[in-house]
């Protein structure tokens, strides 16, 4: 059968994946701390019909051969960790990272996960938790929350609470928020709920204090918006759809040729 | 038999060439969104009909292709905001070391692997001007100048090796082979990728072309077949 059939099919398949990635980005355009992905493609192998450099006659060598490519595949879907814009919320436990780094979250099974989404809350025991109720790690506990009148988080991660107990105001340092970064953050594995797990490709997490050694600073009262650019995604959507269509024309052409062949002998 | 039906083989061969042309066109179209992909052209040979010295065989010329050159003109630059995406504007290819040999690519979609080396999307190591792998720090932004110097924390880490190639051969996975040539005529753009240089309009036209060409060959083959059918009927009535 014709190679063109499968070549075009590979193109359609790649564009389908592209569409999946784009629609996922668009679906998460308002997700706090979301990082957009981009599908990258590469060509498949080539079949040599005539090898370059063979003798064309007794003396002459052909400078270039005849090579037929076999289509395309998705090489990777890379997360792009560019900074999202900050949105003011005035909530004291909404924390945005300006610069590199992730918060560490303790999963219910004891494993670690990492996130850029800084929409934290206090749970019934006074621990700082994410919206799913998973604790921020290292754990920070604020005891007797009813006496707390203010929580402040400094750009370098110090959490200080102001209490009003018995008519007297006291300040108390309750802990430090650490940030984590990776040799290759594109190698992180997204597991949903805005969380990432580290892999062999990303390398082990490197711990550091916010606002030092290239780690980003923490901005209290703000959230980091997703870095999805809706205009760009719409353009990508159009490109993907048209590419899909044109590839399907390749299949139609190949199919019509096959029909011609099959009607050759009457 | 008196009638020479060799032309039907020539027509069949012509049909096969049209199919190969379609194969190449669909490969270009499938890679219309592939970073750093270069369009492949199927070039036909122009053939001289040998002098007819009374032999019918000398009248026949089979359609043939000469070669499939890679058309190496610039693709459009696409902004990605990824600091490790580098597009080449102008001449040149990046040098990549894989476990099956050294190749060249225009696809500047790089990343840092878990050991800190600069790698491409297949995990191949990007080479610097000394043909060494490039190791980056864990900390600090990567800045790449227009001539390929990689700076981190104000320190020059390495310079990307960019060479031009002649007699380009596609290898697949975005890689090419060819004869190296020094070049200075390039500008690197950080945060961009080079789109493929496939012109979808031209490819559609070529697709129609190959389709029609195929139809012509096949119709002629059919006519020849019918002619033979008629000949068999002579004398039956």
């Amino acid at each position: 059968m014709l190679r063109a059939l499968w070549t075009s099919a590979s193109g359609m398949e790649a564009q389908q994946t592209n569409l999946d990635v784009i629609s996922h980005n668009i679906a998460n355009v308002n997700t706090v701390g979301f990082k957009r992905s981009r599908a990258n493609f590469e060509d498949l192998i080539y079949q040599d019909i005539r090898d370059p450099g063979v003798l064309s006659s007794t003396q002459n060598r052909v400078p270039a051969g005849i090579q037929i490519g076999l289509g395309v595949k998705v090489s990777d879907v890379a997360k792009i960790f560019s900074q999202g814009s900050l949105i003011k919320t005035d909530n004291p436990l909404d924390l945005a990272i300006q610069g590199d780094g992730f918060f560490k979250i303790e999963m219910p099974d004891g494993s670690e996960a990492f996130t850029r989404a800084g929409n934290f809350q206090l749970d019934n025991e006074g621990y700082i938790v994410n919206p799913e109720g998973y604790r921020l790690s290292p754990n920070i506990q604020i005891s007797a929350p009813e006496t707390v009148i203010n929580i402040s988080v400094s750009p370098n991660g110090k959490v200080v609470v102001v209490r009003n107990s018995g008519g007297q105001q006291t300040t108390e340092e309750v802990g430090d928020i650490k940030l984590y970064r990776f040799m290759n953050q594109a190698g992180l594995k997204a597991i949903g709920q805005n969380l990432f797990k580290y892999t062999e490709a990303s390398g082990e997490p490197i711990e550091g204090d916010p606002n030092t050694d290239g780690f980003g600073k923490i901005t209290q009262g703000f959230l980091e918006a997703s870095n999805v650019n809706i205009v760009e995604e719409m353009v990508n959507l159009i490109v993907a759809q048209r590419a899909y269509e044109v590839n399907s024309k390749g299949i139609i052409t190949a199919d019509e040729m096959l029909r011609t062949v099959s009607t050759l002998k009457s | 038999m008196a009638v020479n039906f060799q032309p039907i083989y020539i027509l069949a061969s012509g049909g096969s060439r049209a199919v190969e042309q379609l194969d190449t066109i669909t490969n270009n179209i499938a890679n219309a969104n592939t970073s750093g992909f270069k369009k492949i052209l199927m070039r036909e040979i122009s053939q001289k009909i040998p002098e007819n010295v009374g032999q019918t065989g000398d009248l026949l010329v089979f359609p043939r292709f000469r070669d499939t050159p890679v058309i190496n003109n610039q693709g459009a630059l696409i902004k990605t905001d990824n600091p490790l995406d580098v597009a080449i504007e102008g001449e040149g290819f990046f040098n990549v070391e894989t476990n099956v040999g050294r190749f060249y690519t225009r696809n500047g979609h790089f990343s840092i692997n878990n050991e800190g080396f600069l790698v491409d999307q297949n995990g191949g190591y990007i080479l610097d001007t000394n043909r060494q792998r490039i190791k980056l720090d864990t900390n600090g932004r990567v800045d790449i100048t227009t001539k390929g110097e990689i700076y981190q924390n104000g320190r020059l880490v390495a310079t990307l090796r960019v060479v031009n190639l002649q007699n380009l051969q596609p290898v697949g996975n975005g890689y090419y082979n060819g004869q190296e040539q020094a070049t200075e005529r390039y500008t690197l753009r950080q945060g961009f990728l080079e789109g493929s240089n496939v012109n979808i309009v031209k490819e559609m036209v070529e697709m129609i072309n190959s389709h029609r060409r195929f139809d012509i060959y096949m119709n002629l083959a059919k006519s020849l077949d019918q002619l033979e059918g008629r000949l068999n009927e002579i004398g039956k009535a």
Side-chain angles (χ1 to χ4, degrees), chain A residues 136-140 156-159 173-178 209:
Chain A
L136 180 70
S137 170
N139 292 160
I140 295 173
N156 51 9
K158 283 219 181 325
V159 184
E173 205 176 287
V174 289
D176 284 312
I177 295 172
K178 300 279 185 193
D209 291 317

Side-chain angles (χ1 to χ4, degrees), chain A residues 41-46 71-73 75, chain B residues 27 31 34-38 70 92-96 98 103-110 120-122 165 168-177 194:
Chain A
F41 309 104
E42 62 186 19
D43 46 355
L44 294 175
I45 56 162
Y46 288 78
V72 66
K73 70 164 190 246
S75 63
Chain B
N27 184 55
N31 285 291
T34 304
S35 303
F37 177 80
K38 296 293 168 204
V70 176
F93 287 80
F94 297 113
N95 204 181
V96 185
T98 72
F103 297 114
Y104 303 88
T105 186
R106 292 274 289 191
N107 180 3
H109 178 60
F110 301 148
D120 71 358
Q121 56 193 1
N122 303 315
L165 294 179
L168 275 176
Q169 300 298 324
V171 180
N173 298 341
Y175 296 144
Y176 292 91
N177 257 334
E194 185 187 2

Side-chain angles (χ1 to χ4, degrees), chain A:
Chain A
M1 289 294 199
L2 311 185
R3 272 180 290 245
L5 272 176
W6 282 276
T7 306
S8 299
S10 79
M12 289 176 80
E13 211 178 304
Q15 293 310 324
Q16 262 174 41
T17 309
N18 199 8
L19 190 67
D20 293 344
V21 172
I22 296 163
S23 50
H24 181 66
N25 285 346
I26 293 175
N28 282 290
V29 69
N30 281 341
T31 304
V32 171
F34 178 80
K35 297 296 172 199
R36 73 189 163 97
S37 303
R38 185 179 190 280
N40 288 293
F41 309 104
E42 62 186 19
D43 46 355
L44 294 175
I45 56 162
Y46 288 78
Q47 266 188 345
D48 293 340
I49 305 296
R50 187 173 66 174
D51 280 319
V54 295
L55 290 170
S56 64
S57 62
T58 41
Q59 290 127 21
N60 303 326
R61 262 174 214 289
V62 293
I66 297 173
Q67 295 183 299
I68 292 178
L70 298 179
V72 66
K73 70 164 190 246
V74 178
S75 63
D76 68 341
V77 177
K79 281 244 171 243
I80 295 171
F81 284 93
S82 65
Q83 177 78 45
S85 53
L86 299 194
I87 300 165
K88 193 166 157 61
T89 62
D90 288 332
N91 184 348
L93 283 178
D94 280 347
L95 307 175
I97 304 169
Q98 267 184 290
D100 277 356
F102 293 83
F103 296 112
K104 186 159 90 177
I105 302 289
E106 219 175 83
M107 298 294 282
D109 63 358
S111 66
E112 298 170 338
F114 298 85
T115 185
R116 291 278 296 187
N119 44 349
F120 294 112
Q121 294 154 23
L122 289 182
D123 70 359
N124 59 342
E125 292 168 64
Y127 284 103
I128 296 182
V129 295
N130 80 348
E132 273 77 35
Y134 308 154
R135 285 175 191 173
L136 180 70
S137 170
N139 292 160
I140 295 173
Q141 193 180 16
I142 296 169
S143 54
E146 64 282 356
T147 63
V148 172
I149 54 168
N150 190 19
I151 301 171
S152 82
V153 181
S154 72
N156 51 9
K158 283 219 181 325
V159 184
V160 173
V161 294
V162 180
R163 291 179 189 280
N164 186 354
S165 53
Q168 216 180 350
Q169 280 203 358
T170 54
T171 59
E172 185 194 341
E173 205 176 287
V174 289
D176 284 312
I177 295 172
K178 300 279 185 193
L179 290 184
Y180 300 83
R181 54 196 282 165
F182 301 89
M183 196 75 217
N184 171 26
Q185 55 187 7
L188 290 171
K189 182 174 145 73
I191 56 167
Q193 299 176 329
N194 284 337
L195 299 175
F196 295 96
K197 290 250 182 195
Y198 67 86
T199 65
E200 268 188 30
S202 69
E204 301 266 319
I206 303 157
E207 189 183 270
D209 291 317
N211 213 8
T212 57
D213 298 334
F215 284 90
K217 73 171 181 194
I218 291 179
T219 313
Q220 192 187 14
F222 286 86
L223 285 176
E224 186 186 2
S226 86
N227 65 350
V228 175
N229 179 340
I230 199 80
V231 178
E232 212 172 287
E233 297 302 333
M234 286 309 290
V235 171
N236 287 339
L237 200 63
I238 294 168
V239 170
Q241 194 202 344
R242 292 300 175 209
Y244 187 82
E245 274 179 30
V246 177
N247 277 298
S248 75
K249 288 279 186 282
I251 292 186
I252 292 169
T253 309
D255 176 47
E256 282 176 5
M257 283 188 182
L258 280 175
R259 191 175 56 199
T260 308
V261 172
S262 70
T263 55
L264 205 54
K265 191 183 172 300
S266 47

Side-chain angles (χ1 to χ4, degrees), chain B residues 62-211:
Chain B
F62 279 84
R64 283 198 298 159
F65 283 118
R66 181 163 60 181
D67 53 6
T68 48
V70 176
I71 306 301
N72 187 15
N73 56 13
Q74 179 77 40
L77 298 193
I78 299 161
K79 192 164 158 34
T80 64
D81 288 328
N82 186 349
L84 290 176
D85 283 345
V86 192
I88 301 176
E89 210 184 317
E91 285 183 349
F93 287 80
F94 297 113
N95 204 181
V96 185
E97 183 186 316
T98 72
N99 51 7
V100 287
R102 283 186 185 163
F103 297 114
Y104 303 88
T105 186
R106 292 274 289 191
N107 180 3
H109 178 60
F110 301 148
S111 51
I112 301 176
N113 74 3
N114 60 339
E115 291 169 330
F117 287 106
L118 189 66
V119 293
D120 71 358
Q121 56 193 1
N122 303 315
Y125 297 96
I126 309 301
L127 300 181
D128 68 4
T129 41
N130 302 321
R131 299 185 201 209
Q132 299 296 310
R133 300 172 180 185
I134 298 169
K135 195 164 171 41
L136 296 165
D137 280 345
T138 31
N139 275 344
R141 252 174 48 152
V142 177
D143 286 304
I144 300 169
T145 67
T146 53
K147 283 293 160 204
E149 290 133 350
I150 304 170
Y151 283 94
Q152 233 183 344
N153 304 319
R155 192 173 62 89
L156 178 66
V157 184
T159 308
L160 289 168
R161 180 171 152 82
V162 178
V163 289
N164 202 15
L165 294 179
Q166 274 204 322
N167 289 337
L168 275 176
Q169 300 298 324
V171 180
N173 298 341
Y175 296 144
Y176 292 91
N177 257 334
Q179 277 104 52
E180 273 189 26
Q181 254 188 345
T183 180
E184 282 295 318
R185 287 199 291 269
Y186 61 86
T187 310
L188 302 190
R189 302 275 181 218
Q190 191 180 14
F192 287 85
L193 283 176
E194 185 187 2
S196 87
N197 67 350
V198 174
N199 180 337
I200 211 91
V201 181
K202 274 190 190 164
E203 298 302 324
M204 284 306 290
V205 171
E206 285 299 314
M207 195 194 279
I208 295 169
N209 232 342
S210 67
H211 192 184

